[in-house]
Amino acid sequence: MVSANITELLATYIHALHILHYHKVLDGYGHLSVRNPQNSSNFFMMHQLAPAVVSGLGDISEYRVWDAEPVDPRSPEAPSERYIHSEILKRYSDVNVVLHGHADELVSYSISGVTLRSAIHMAPFLKTGAPIFDITKYYRDNDTHDFLVRNQRLGAALAAVFDTPDLVGSKDSTQDERGDHYEPHRRDDEFTGKEPDNDRAYPSHNLVLMRSHGFTAVATDIKIVTYEGIYAVVNARVQAEALRIQHAYTGQAARDGVVYLNERQARDSWETEISIVGKPWESWVREVKVDPLYVNELDSNM
């Protein structure tokens, strides 16, 4: 029998899936996982289902962090990319939630050579730039080259990118601590393939882009990772529009005219946003509860 605390957690989990679909962060694909608070060696995750149709306990199984296999071998089919979740949860003990999706706005930054970074104070978790995981660097001859993270080896490679250094330089606009622009000496927006020394319980980055594929975000809490997914997409739209406006105004490729948050501004803004994440959450839950597409059998207030 599932405990009351786990039922409440999974009710929140289902709401998050519906919210992320409603806000077009997740489409018919994508997935979300949450660590079992009563057994950190396991995590909960939906079956091979579209996020919008997950509705109850029968749509969710418990998996082992160690190998991403279901605790109950009779469980229905699991998402093929569950190794994204298991390897991140394995590497970072303070990460409790992992989100993976394919929002168009974010995929564009994975292939354009433009660094996705904090352009608005609502997305300070992007800091000075989201690193990019290029799975093609890790393929072996017998791998399926479809950009999916299908095994532990590829999942571990993705997990390592979350702890690459902050992107203090890129070929587009950069700023110092005062917000002044400077010319970068090198570009750091691509993982070199060298796994960093890691004794951290939480990674350096909350979001990593995946070349030609999508993004993965992490957090300590379901509400926080939902916030990250929504505002990463908003930030991507704002940044892209600013670059388009600048190009239309100057007639040149955008470089140093777009203003981004510096490290201090991003850090302070993130502390503020985390403290009030419950405020938008309430309205997001209301949106999906009144939409007949979404059913949450675990919500006692439905």
Side-chain angles (χ1 to χ4, degrees), residues 8 10 13 43 46 64 69 91 97 102 107 109 111 113 159-160 183 216 222 247 265 278:
E8 183 178 355
L10 295 180
Y13 172 88
F43 65 97
M46 58 205 277
R64 297 189 297 261
E69 293 303 315
R91 185 178 177 97
V97 189
H102 316 99
V107 175
Y109 284 90
I111 58 174
E183 188 66 27
T216 297
I222 291 174
H247 177 65
Q265 293 161 352

Side-chain angles (χ1 to χ4, degrees), residues 121-122 124 221 223-224 227 231 268-284:
H121 79 100
M122 303 296 286
D221 177 84
K223 295 178 184 179
I224 293 174
Y227 178 102
Y231 279 102
D268 290 356
S269 295
W270 192 219
E271 290 178 3
T272 297
E273 296 308 324
I274 285 179
S275 69
I276 56 174
V277 71
K279 183 177 180 180
W281 177 262
E282 295 296 329
S283 63
W284 293 337

Side-chain angles (χ1 to χ4, degrees), residues 22 29 48 87 103 115 139 144 149 151 159 161 190 206 224 233:
Y22 183 89
Y29 300 92
Q48 187 75 293
E87 291 302 315
T115 302
Y139 280 145
T144 302
V149 180
N151 56 48
V161 180
E190 191 170 49
N206 282 27
I224 293 174
V233 172

Side-chain angles (χ1 to χ4, degrees), residues 156-204:
L158 169 60
V161 180
F162 278 87
D163 222 22
T164 53
D166 286 350
L167 307 186
V168 295
S170 70
K171 75 176 185 179
D172 44 281
S173 178
T174 53
Q175 297 166 288
D176 63 18
E177 278 292 302
R178 296 173 301 174
D180 297 329
H181 296 282
Y182 65 90
E183 188 66 27
H185 297 291
R186 65 188 179 90
R187 184 178 172 198
D188 237 350
D189 64 347
E190 191 170 49
F191 182 48
T192 62
K194 181 181 178 182
E195 184 170 312
D197 295 331
N198 181 37
D199 59 358
R200 299 164 62 94
Y202 197 86
S204 299

Side-chain angles (χ1 to χ4, degrees), residues 5-293:
N5 288 342
I6 294 299
T7 299
E8 183 178 355
L9 174 72
L10 295 180
T12 302
Y13 172 88
I14 293 173
H15 277 321
L17 285 171
H18 296 167
I19 291 165
L20 289 163
H21 179 265
Y22 183 89
H23 285 268
K24 295 180 172 54
V25 179
L26 297 181
D27 51 13
Y29 300 92
H31 22 85
L32 178 69
S33 66
V34 58
R35 195 188 294 270
N36 184 341
Q38 298 176 359
N39 181 358
S40 61
S41 297
N42 294 340
F43 65 97
F44 296 105
M45 190 175 181
M46 58 205 277
H47 300 149
Q48 187 75 293
L49 297 169
V53 303
V54 175
S55 61
L57 292 177
D59 300 327
I60 302 168
S61 284
E62 188 172 6
Y63 300 86
R64 297 189 297 261
V65 169
W66 178 249
D67 60 1
E69 293 303 315
V71 172
D72 183 350
R74 300 167 298 178
S75 296
E77 183 181 4
S80 59
E81 291 192 292
R82 60 191 182 278
Y83 304 100
I84 291 175
H85 304 261
S86 62
E87 291 302 315
I88 290 173
L89 294 170
K90 183 190 302 182
R91 185 178 177 97
Y92 305 109
S93 59
D94 283 353
V95 168
N96 295 318
V97 189
V98 180
L99 167 66
H100 170 66
H102 316 99
D104 298 352
E105 297 90 339
L106 298 179
V107 175
S108 297
Y109 284 90
S110 78
I111 58 174
S112 65
V114 177
T115 302
L116 176 69
R117 57 182 301 182
S118 298
I120 59 174
H121 79 100
M122 303 296 286
F125 53 87
L126 295 172
K127 301 194 292 184
T128 56
I132 298 172
F133 171 61
D134 185 351
I135 196 171
T136 65
K137 295 182 177 181
Y138 303 94
Y139 280 145
R140 295 177 180 174
D141 290 343
N142 61 340
D143 286 331
T144 302
H145 293 205
D146 62 359
F147 292 88
L148 300 188
V149 180
R150 292 180 175 274
N151 56 48
Q152 289 178 286
R153 171 173 49 84
L154 294 174
L158 169 60
V161 180
F162 278 87
D163 222 22
T164 53
D166 286 350
L167 307 186
V168 295
S170 70
K171 75 176 185 179
D172 44 281
S173 178
T174 53
Q175 297 166 288
D176 63 18
E177 278 292 302
R178 296 173 301 174
D180 297 329
H181 296 282
Y182 65 90
E183 188 66 27
H185 297 291
R186 65 188 179 90
R187 184 178 172 198
D188 237 350
D189 64 347
E190 191 170 49
F191 182 48
T192 62
K194 181 181 178 182
E195 184 170 312
D197 295 331
N198 181 37
D199 59 358
R200 299 164 62 94
Y202 197 86
S204 299
H205 297 278
N206 282 27
L207 186 142
V208 167
L209 297 175
M210 303 165 71
R211 183 199 143 188
S212 305
H213 182 170
F215 75 97
T216 297
V218 302
T220 58
D221 177 84
I222 291 174
K223 295 178 184 179
I224 293 174
V225 88
T226 303
Y227 178 102
E228 289 173 349
I230 290 173
Y231 279 102
V233 172
V234 172
N235 187 97
R237 289 199 298 261
V238 170
Q239 185 177 347
E241 183 62 16
L243 292 168
R244 280 192 289 268
I245 290 172
Q246 187 188 72
H247 177 65
Y249 181 74
T250 65
Q252 300 176 352
R255 286 181 62 87
D256 297 328
V258 176
V259 178
Y260 300 100
L261 275 64
N262 62 37
E263 293 180 13
R264 171 70 181 276
Q265 293 161 352
R267 183 173 63 251
D268 290 356
S269 295
W270 192 219
E271 290 178 3
T272 297
E273 296 308 324
I274 285 179
S275 69
I276 56 174
V277 71
K279 183 177 180 180
W281 177 262
E282 295 296 329
S283 63
W284 293 337
V285 169
R286 182 69 63 86
E287 286 173 339
V288 296
K289 287 176 74 168
V290 300
D291 190 320
L293 171 62

